[in-house]
């Protein structure tokens, strides 16, 4: 009896043999002479019929193994979908003479982008109906809607493959005509109009690296072949963005070297044929962001400030740091996360003890205050604030028990008005759920925050299931948020835990620095130490513990699977970056060289050896692994499909256990999975059905 209480009964899976990938030895060499044999290197040929055949065989195997969950998957899909208000609408925001918003129609996969002139009682104008544009495509993504100064034109990008190559188009909002000016291979979301309402700047992506690397100038009505290249980034370690600044005075090109160096170039929007000028020449180790305000710039900078400080500098003197004047000094316990500039106010996002605080400063009196949120674990952020001349701040708020909420906050009277809270169809009572912030002690003594949510009645007796999630890379902070899908876990007795491990930036810049490069293993051991804490404190136990992460968080899952396979009943790795050494050695693969400052350059022996010591693919051994579900997308441009495919192939040949190992490849999608709000729910329902099957939950 006692054993049944502590062990999950083995789920029934069909006695079917999985596909076995053919072994074709291939030597992978580094410049310093080290070499490795890769038996599944051949899987990187996307167009090879044998590769497609193998992926389809894996999908068929997965379908067979999960066939008895089909009813449960359908139930979960309808359950999650049923909580979503299908005919929903965003809170309108004012920009210029119009109020802009998006809305969904019942049954529609994609949003409809709309506006109203002057007031919310004015007739609706449809800018783009993404359902119509996406009709007939298995995948569709709309990106970068930018309206011209005269409010008559909109530039937008469309991707129908999921490789993030967007076709730039322009629509006349008065006539409804979509102009023939179609420009392929652009960076979606990086478009900027000049003030003349006819000149448009855009970024072209390199088709080998898939990095944005050139900025071009297009004049409406002219042949795109005659467009003028205005800037080319020669260093492929830099990512590039393009936008019109909030003050509307400047068009900005932002070049960022992955958390190491920044450089901005500016052009007066009234002089579209002029030259972009450098704000401050790039320096290794110096990151900065800029916001224009009247005759000066605010600069968020890590110059002599690890956690960043705020400075200001007059126009025309930006290239000389001696002209910079400190506004907000550096603080060891507060990370300056971002800023928003208004004519009368300056708003700062600051991160302290893992939580975002919003600080409001009056530009004239310098009086300041913080907005109070009142929950132990939450996410707050400045939202869409395109209007420079307003005293109202739009901010968003959510927690693990509070649905996403939009507030308009009067920065003078300190009154917050709830404009909208996401409706959970069918009813939701946050009082039925509990959220906690606890701390696990890592093996080196560092305290790791964990945000937890569960439904009241959850017992900390070691017998309850728990879903443990983390990311832990690129300084990306995984803040606690609400999820309607997650309710399907909580309502079935699960706890859900987000581990704020090093590699993110929740606890300041040093949190990131201590989880990258030659300190990357801290990310993995932090996650394992959080698991041990959750087990020790009886939130769960190994037979009921499920780990999940995606992309770089999928690397985390792969490393954890090798380092502590006995801690988890199952690991779910979404689009996982698991073949670290091979990918980072191949400079032809998209994004590789731009990642050197995150992982290191394996062409240097020290980094090669360190990567090799944790790379999930290279460290698969003959031993028992937990149950595993691995997902990928054939057209993934961020983590190529062959990484998880190779990893699964190697695991199949070496693992000594009888646990299930599944590979599910979306043959139509890329890194973000299926497009459309309902297709994505089906993927979530599948993952939940997988862990419910293992947990013995049948409905």
């Amino acid at each position: 009896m006692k054993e049944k209480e502590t062990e999950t009964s083995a789920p029934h899976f069909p006695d079917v043999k999985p596909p076995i990938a053919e072994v074709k030895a291939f030597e992978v060499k580094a410049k310093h002479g080290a070499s490795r044999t890769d038996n599944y290197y051949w899987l990187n040929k996307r167009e090879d019929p044998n590769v497609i055949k193998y992926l389809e065989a894996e999908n068929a195997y997965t379908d067979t193994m999960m066939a008895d969950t089909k009813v449960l998957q359908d139930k979960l899909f309808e359950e999650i979908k049923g909580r979503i208000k299908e005919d929903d609408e965003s809170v309108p925001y004012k920009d210029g003479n119009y109020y802009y918003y998006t809305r969904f129609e019942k049954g529609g996969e994609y949003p409809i982008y709309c506006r109203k002139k002057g007031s919310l009682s004015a007739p609706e104008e449809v800018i783009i109906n993404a359902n119509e544009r996406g009709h007939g495509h298995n995948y569709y993504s709309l990106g970068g809607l930018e309206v011209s100064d005269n409010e008559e034109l909109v530039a937008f990008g469309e991707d129908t493959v999921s490789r993030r190559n967007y076709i730039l188009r322009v629509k006349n909002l008065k006539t409804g005509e979509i102009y023939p000016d179609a420009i392929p291979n652009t960076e979606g979301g990086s478009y900027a109009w000049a003030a003349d309402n006819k000149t448009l700047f855009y970024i072209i992506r390199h088709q080998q690296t898939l990095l944005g690397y050139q900025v071009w100038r297009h004049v409406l009505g002219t042949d795109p072949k005659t467009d003028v290249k205005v800037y080319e980034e020669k260093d492929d370690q830099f990512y590039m963005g393009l936008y019109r600044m909030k003050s509307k005075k400047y068009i900005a090109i932002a070049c960022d070297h992955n958390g190491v160096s920044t450089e901005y170039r500016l052009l007066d929007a009234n002089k579209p044929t002029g030259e972009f000028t450098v704000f401050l020449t790039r320096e290794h180790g110096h990151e900065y962001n800029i916001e224009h305000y009247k005759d000066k710039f605010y600069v968020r900078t890590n110059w002599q400030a690890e956690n960043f400080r705020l400075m200001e500098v007059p126009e025309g003197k930006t290239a000389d740091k001696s002209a910079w004047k400190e506004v907000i000094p550096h603080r060891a316990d507060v990370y300056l996360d971002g800023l928003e500039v208004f004519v009368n106010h300056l708003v700062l996002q600051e991160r302290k003890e893992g939580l975002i605080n919003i600080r409001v400063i009056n530009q004239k009196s310098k009086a300041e205050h913080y907005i109070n949120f009142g929950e132990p674990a939450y996410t707050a952020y400045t939202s869409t604030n395109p209007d420079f001349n307003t005293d109202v701040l739009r901010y968003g708020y959510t927690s693990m028990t509070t649905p996403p909420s939009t507030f308009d906050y009067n920065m003078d009277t300190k009154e917050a008005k709830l404009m909208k809270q996401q409706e959970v169809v069918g009813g939701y009572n946050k009082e039925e759920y509990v959220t906690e912030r606890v701390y696990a002690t890592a093996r080196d003594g560092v305290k790791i925050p964990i945000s937890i949510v569960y439904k009241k009645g959850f017992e900390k007796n070691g017998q309850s299931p728990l879903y443990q999630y983390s990311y832990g890379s690129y300084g990306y902070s995984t803040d606690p948020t609400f999820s309607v899908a997650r309710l399907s876990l909580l309502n079935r007795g699960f706890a859900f835990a987000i581990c704020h491990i090093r590699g993110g930036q929740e606890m300041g810049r040093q949190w990131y620095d201590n989880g990258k490069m030659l300190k990357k293993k801290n990310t993995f051991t932090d996650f394992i130490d959080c698991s041990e804490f959750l087990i020790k404190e009886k939130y769960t136990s190994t037979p009921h513990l499920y780990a999940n992460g995606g992309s770089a968080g999928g690397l985390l899952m792969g490393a954890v699977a090798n380092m502590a396979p006995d801690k988890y009943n199952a690991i779910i790795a979404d689009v996982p970056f698991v073949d670290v050494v091979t990918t980072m050695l191949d400079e032809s693969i998209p994004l590789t060289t731009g990642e050197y400052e995150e992982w290191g350059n394996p062409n240097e022996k020290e980094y090669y050896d360190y990567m090799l010591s944790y790379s999930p693919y290279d460290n698969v051994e003959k031993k028992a692994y937990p149950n595993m579900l691995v997902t990928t997308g054939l057209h993934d441009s961020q983590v190529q499909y062959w990484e998880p495919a190779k990893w699964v192939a190697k695991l199949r040949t070496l693992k000594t256990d009888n646990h299930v190992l599944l590979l599910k490849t979306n043959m139509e999608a890329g890194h973000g999975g299926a497009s459309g709000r309902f297709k994505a729910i089906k993927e979530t329902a599948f993952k939940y059905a997988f862990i419910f099957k293992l947990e013995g939950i049948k409905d």
Side-chain angles (χ1 to χ4, degrees):
M1 184 71 181
K2 193 76 172 173
E3 187 162 325
K4 285 186 178 179
E5 289 177 357
T6 57
E7 294 291 336
T8 300
S9 59
H12 173 72
F13 284 98
D15 186 15
V16 178
K17 290 186 177 181
I20 300 297
E22 186 178 353
V23 171
K24 298 180 183 180
F26 181 86
E27 188 177 16
V28 181
K29 294 182 179 180
K31 293 177 182 177
H32 42 68
S35 67
R36 296 145 49 246
T37 299
D38 186 345
N39 288 332
Y40 304 104
Y41 189 86
W42 65 274
L43 284 170
N44 70 359
K45 307 297 182 185
R46 195 189 318 269
E47 308 302 326
D48 186 337
N50 290 321
V51 171
I52 300 301
K53 183 179 178 182
Y54 171 71
L55 295 176
E56 290 176 339
E58 284 283 5
N59 277 350
Y61 174 74
T62 295
D63 289 344
T64 299
M65 298 296 277
M66 292 289 289
D68 64 343
T69 70
K70 185 66 172 64
V71 172
L72 178 56
Q73 289 179 54
D74 291 343
K75 179 179 179 179
L76 286 165
F77 172 77
E78 294 298 336
E79 183 178 298
I80 297 169
K81 179 183 175 185
R83 297 191 192 107
I84 298 171
K85 187 178 181 184
E86 292 198 44
D87 52 345
D88 205 1
E89 188 175 299
S90 68
V91 180
Y93 64 86
K94 192 171 186 295
D95 189 9
N97 294 307
Y98 285 86
Y99 288 89
Y100 292 85
Y101 59 98
T102 59
R103 61 178 176 83
F104 284 93
E105 291 182 340
K106 189 170 183 178
E109 287 279 4
Y110 304 107
I112 302 169
Y113 296 85
C114 309
R115 68 179 186 176
K116 293 182 178 181
K117 188 173 184 178
S119 75
L120 294 176
S121 60
E124 177 180 89
E125 298 178 26
V126 173
I127 302 171
I128 300 286
N129 186 333
N131 295 297
E132 293 177 357
R133 299 293 301 174
H135 182 70
H137 296 288
N138 290 323
Y139 178 92
Y140 181 78
S141 176
L142 185 71
L145 274 73
E146 293 292 334
V147 176
S148 60
D149 286 22
N150 64 5
E151 304 176 314
E152 294 180 3
L153 305 168
V154 63
F156 63 99
E158 295 180 305
D159 174 16
T160 57
V161 179
S162 191
R163 290 286 284 174
R164 301 189 182 183
N165 283 321
Y166 286 80
I167 299 174
L168 169 59
R169 303 184 189 278
V170 176
K171 179 179 179 180
N172 187 310
L173 296 174
K174 291 182 71 176
T175 66
E177 176 190 3
I178 292 182
Y179 292 164
D181 313 56
I183 303 172
N185 302 326
T186 69
E187 192 81 62
S190 284
Y191 310 134
W193 289 98
D196 64 0
N197 303 301
K198 66 178 182 180
T199 305
L200 184 60
F201 293 85
Y202 60 92
I203 293 176
I204 287 290
R205 303 177 88 214
H206 192 288
Q207 289 308 290
Q208 184 62 53
T209 66
L210 293 185
L211 288 170
Y213 78 117
Q214 294 176 340
V215 178
W216 290 73
R217 183 178 71 230
H218 174 71
V219 177
L220 290 185
T222 65
D223 188 336
K225 293 179 181 178
T226 65
D227 288 358
V228 177
K229 181 172 67 175
V230 297
Y231 176 69
E232 180 170 352
E233 178 54 61
K234 302 290 187 181
D235 188 338
D236 58 10
Q237 294 187 69
F238 278 79
Y239 296 90
M240 189 157 55
L242 171 73
Y243 65 100
R244 182 85 171 269
M245 299 193 81
K246 185 173 177 177
S247 69
K248 300 292 188 182
K249 183 173 181 179
Y250 293 103
I251 296 167
I253 300 172
C255 297
D256 177 64
H257 185 184
N258 214 28
V260 173
S261 180
T262 315
E263 186 176 74
Y264 282 85
R265 283 173 164 76
L266 301 178
L267 174 69
D268 188 326
N270 287 296
K271 302 174 182 177
T273 59
E275 296 288 327
F276 279 85
T277 59
V278 176
F279 182 90
L280 177 73
T281 303
R282 62 186 65 174
E283 302 169 314
H284 188 82
H286 184 208
E287 297 175 74
Y288 67 92
N289 308 97
I290 59 175
E291 289 289 345
H292 180 243
Y293 177 72
K294 296 184 177 179
D295 59 351
K296 66 182 179 182
F297 289 90
Y298 283 111
V299 187
R300 172 184 170 269
T301 172
N302 71 343
W303 173 42
Q304 300 176 352
E306 181 185 37
N307 274 341
F308 289 80
R309 57 178 167 160
L310 187 67
M311 307 188 81
E312 63 182 27
V313 59
E315 289 179 318
K317 296 184 178 181
T318 65
D320 179 9
K321 281 192 291 189
S322 67
W324 293 17
K325 177 184 175 183
E326 187 172 81
V327 179
I328 303 292
H330 173 263
R331 292 149 293 170
D333 63 337
V334 178
Y335 177 76
L336 181 57
D337 200 55
L339 67 151
E340 188 81 54
V341 178
F342 299 90
V343 66
N344 295 321
H345 298 88
L346 176 65
V347 177
L348 304 180
Q349 279 193 183
E350 300 177 343
R351 189 177 290 276
K352 184 176 183 179
E353 297 178 351
L355 295 173
I356 284 286
N357 297 300
I358 296 180
R359 180 180 181 182
V360 179
I361 303 171
N362 188 290
Q363 294 273 28
K364 296 176 181 177
S365 69
K366 304 305 177 186
E368 61 178 70
H369 66 275
Y370 287 88
I371 301 174
N372 181 29
F373 300 114
E375 283 193 270
Y378 63 85
T379 300
Y381 52 92
T382 57
S383 185
T384 307
N385 291 280
D387 191 353
F388 186 66
N389 298 295
T390 182
D391 295 319
V392 176
L393 169 72
R394 169 77 49 88
Y395 73 83
Y397 179 86
T398 181
S399 73
M400 298 178 90
T401 59
T402 305
S405 307
T406 300
F407 288 87
D408 276 357
Y409 181 78
N410 188 302
M411 293 180 278
D412 292 322
T413 66
K414 303 180 185 177
E415 293 180 74
K417 182 180 180 182
L418 177 63
M419 303 301 292
K420 180 182 180 182
Q421 185 172 93
Q422 178 185 333
E423 179 182 341
V424 181
V425 177
Y428 166 75
N429 181 4
K430 69 175 291 184
E431 301 305 319
E432 295 179 2
Y433 301 84
V434 178
T435 183
E436 295 183 33
R437 171 64 70 96
V438 297
Y439 293 84
T441 302
R443 58 197 65 185
D444 62 358
V446 172
K447 299 291 185 183
I448 312 296
I450 307 175
S451 299
I452 306 175
V453 65
Y454 49 81
K455 192 170 185 178
K456 285 182 179 177
F458 177 87
E459 294 185 35
K460 299 175 188 176
N461 58 9
Q463 307 308 310
S464 298
L466 186 144
Y467 193 106
Q468 182 181 344
Y469 175 82
S470 204
Y471 184 73
S473 288
Y474 301 104
Y476 177 79
S477 297
T478 310
D479 292 312
T481 59
F482 183 82
S483 164
V484 292
R486 189 189 301 144
L487 293 175
S488 292
L489 291 174
L490 306 185
N491 292 345
R492 287 173 174 82
F494 275 75
F496 184 93
I498 300 173
C499 299
H500 305 285
I501 56 182
R502 281 173 284 188
Q505 209 153 234
E506 288 91 335
M507 305 295 281
R509 181 55 186 245
Q510 80 286 352
W511 207 246
Y512 174 36
D513 291 338
N514 287 325
K516 63 186 288 196
M517 304 287 276
L518 297 174
K519 297 180 179 179
K520 188 62 204 169
K521 288 182 185 177
N522 283 336
T523 300
F524 316 139
T525 56
D526 281 359
F527 189 88
I528 295 167
D529 293 342
C530 286
S531 299
E532 291 178 347
F533 170 85
L534 292 166
I535 291 170
K536 179 184 175 184
E537 296 300 315
K538 297 193 178 298
Y539 283 92
T540 190
S541 57
T542 291
H544 305 286
L545 181 55
Y546 302 88
N548 175 229
S551 194
L555 162 64
L556 168 66
M557 292 299 101
V560 164
N562 286 326
M563 296 168 69
D566 59 338
K567 289 282 189 298
Y568 309 92
N569 189 23
I571 289 176
I572 302 148
D574 297 313
V575 292
F577 174 42
V578 285
D579 190 13
V580 184
V581 180
T582 305
T583 291
M584 294 305 296
L585 281 172
D586 189 347
E587 296 178 10
S588 71
I589 291 177
L591 310 183
T592 289
T593 54
E595 305 286 285
Y596 286 161
E597 295 293 342
E598 180 72 21
W599 315 104
N601 183 351
N603 292 305
E604 299 175 24
K605 190 68 162 54
E606 180 183 26
Y607 290 104
Y608 178 93
D609 290 342
Y610 188 75
M611 283 183 197
L612 192 61
S613 72
Y614 70 73
S615 174
Y617 180 62
D618 291 289
N619 287 279
V620 174
E621 299 174 317
K622 287 188 176 180
K623 62 183 179 186
Y625 284 87
N627 297 289
M628 298 176 72
L629 168 62
V630 182
T631 70
T632 186
L634 182 63
H635 301 290
D636 197 328
S637 61
Q638 308 299 108
V639 178
Q640 307 293 325
Y641 74 89
W642 58 77
E643 291 199 34
K646 288 166 55 178
W647 183 43
V648 168
K650 190 173 183 180
L651 279 164
R652 290 215 186 283
T653 63
L654 292 179
K655 74 189 194 79
T656 59
D657 57 86
N658 293 318
H659 295 140
V660 66
L661 170 62
L662 304 179
L663 173 66
K664 185 175 178 63
T665 303
N666 188 323
M667 305 300 282
E668 299 173 349
H671 197 63
S675 67
R677 53 179 178 161
F678 300 131
K679 288 181 182 178
I681 293 172
K682 290 189 175 180
E683 296 183 345
T684 300
F686 181 87
K687 287 194 292 187
Y688 285 4
F690 174 70
I691 61 173
F692 289 168
K693 182 177 173 70
L694 294 171
E695 191 62 23
I697 298 172
K698 297 182 179 179
D699 56 35

